[in-house]
Amino acid sequence: MFGAIAKTYDLLNRLLSLGFDVRWRRLAVREVAMGEPGRILDLCGGTGDLTVAAARAEPAAWVVCCDFAHPMLSRAAPKFRRKGVADRCSLVEGDGLRLPFADDSFDAVTVGFGVRNFADRSRGFREILRVLKPGGRLVILEFSTPTGPVFGRLYRLYLNGVLPRIGDATAGHEGPYRYLARTIGDFPEPPALAGLLRESGFAAAGWKPLTGGVVCVHTAMKGL
């Protein structure tokens, strides 16, 4: 499914988010908050937009873009060259539930709109915890559901009606963006996700809503 939409993925991200996705990624990268250059794993990195944002941040870091969908990663490599960050980025094709990295390999891990797709979230979080260095930080950017009565109703109409029709029609495949809407609707509320992160072994977990709660930036720390 992800391979089938790789060619239109970036276009639809901009179109369906009304361009807000660029700002969301920039704000997520700020939460990484490393005091010195380090190594960042961008898990579920897809076509590399969050990887680029992390590579451009200060202080400069080495960023590994990891995803299980080869067609997505094949579009990330030329993007890194176009954006001038190819010397700070690398690509790894791998499964988020069985990460091909040693223990304590990364100073930070980012996951942009990918946690919804974990077949087993607890296992995925434990793998992230394993590859993080002690004191390392996890930053998750993920869709949420606005709680305001008016905005929340409009958002649900857009999510369940407009978004799937535009997304599937533009991608030329029926189903991927209906899947997106369904997984957003089924995703745990921020307090529940924070609880799952703590149950998986993280020492601290919290979140910040963005754009009226359409998305949240979730953060968690690995204990020292």
Side-chain angles (χ1 to χ4, degrees):
M1 181 181 71
F2 289 103
I5 63 173
K7 290 183 179 180
T8 57
Y9 185 73
D10 289 348
L11 169 65
L12 283 168
N13 279 346
R14 305 297 180 274
L15 177 65
L16 296 174
S17 74
L18 305 179
F20 279 101
D21 65 304
V22 176
R23 180 173 181 270
W24 294 336
R25 289 185 179 90
R26 187 169 62 247
L27 292 174
V29 167
R30 289 182 187 175
E31 295 295 327
V32 174
M34 291 193 304
E36 58 187 29
R39 288 171 53 87
I40 299 174
L41 171 62
D42 182 24
L43 184 57
C44 307
T47 61
D49 277 348
L50 187 54
T51 303
V52 170
R56 285 178 162 176
E58 295 296 337
W62 180 265
V63 189
V64 177
C65 179
C66 179
D67 200 283
F68 73 162
H70 180 80
M72 289 281 193
L73 290 180
S74 68
R75 303 187 74 81
K79 180 182 293 183
F80 296 161
R81 292 191 292 270
R82 290 196 309 271
K83 301 293 185 179
V85 296
D87 60 335
R88 287 174 302 216
C89 301
S90 61
L91 296 170
V92 173
E93 191 170 329
D95 184 349
L97 304 186
R98 292 180 293 273
L99 291 172
F101 308 109
D103 295 358
D104 305 334
S105 295
F106 295 96
D107 300 283
V109 176
T110 60
V111 189
F113 307 112
V115 167
R116 282 176 298 104
N117 303 312
F118 283 174
D120 183 336
R121 290 194 189 105
S122 295
R123 181 174 174 179
F125 290 155
R126 290 194 298 270
E127 271 294 271
I128 291 171
L129 191 71
R130 179 183 67 78
V131 302
L132 269 175
K133 294 179 181 179
R137 192 171 180 88
L138 167 62
V139 178
I140 297 169
L141 181 62
E142 192 52 85
F143 289 108
S144 188
T145 302
T147 56
V150 176
F151 185 44
R153 183 178 301 174
L154 290 172
Y155 175 75
R156 286 189 290 273
L157 286 171
Y158 176 74
L159 177 65
N160 296 309
V162 178
L163 184 148
R165 290 193 180 100
I166 294 176
D168 285 354
T170 304
H173 296 273
E174 185 175 352
Y177 286 86
R178 296 185 187 280
Y179 165 85
L180 170 64
R182 185 177 71 253
T183 55
I184 292 173
D186 293 342
F187 195 67
E189 292 297 321
L193 186 65
L196 182 58
L197 285 164
R198 295 188 189 100
E199 290 173 7
S200 301
F202 284 90
W207 67 91
K208 294 180 181 179
L210 304 176
T211 318
V214 171
V215 302
C216 284
V217 177
H218 303 264
T219 57
M221 301 286 293
K222 180 175 180 176
L224 297 172

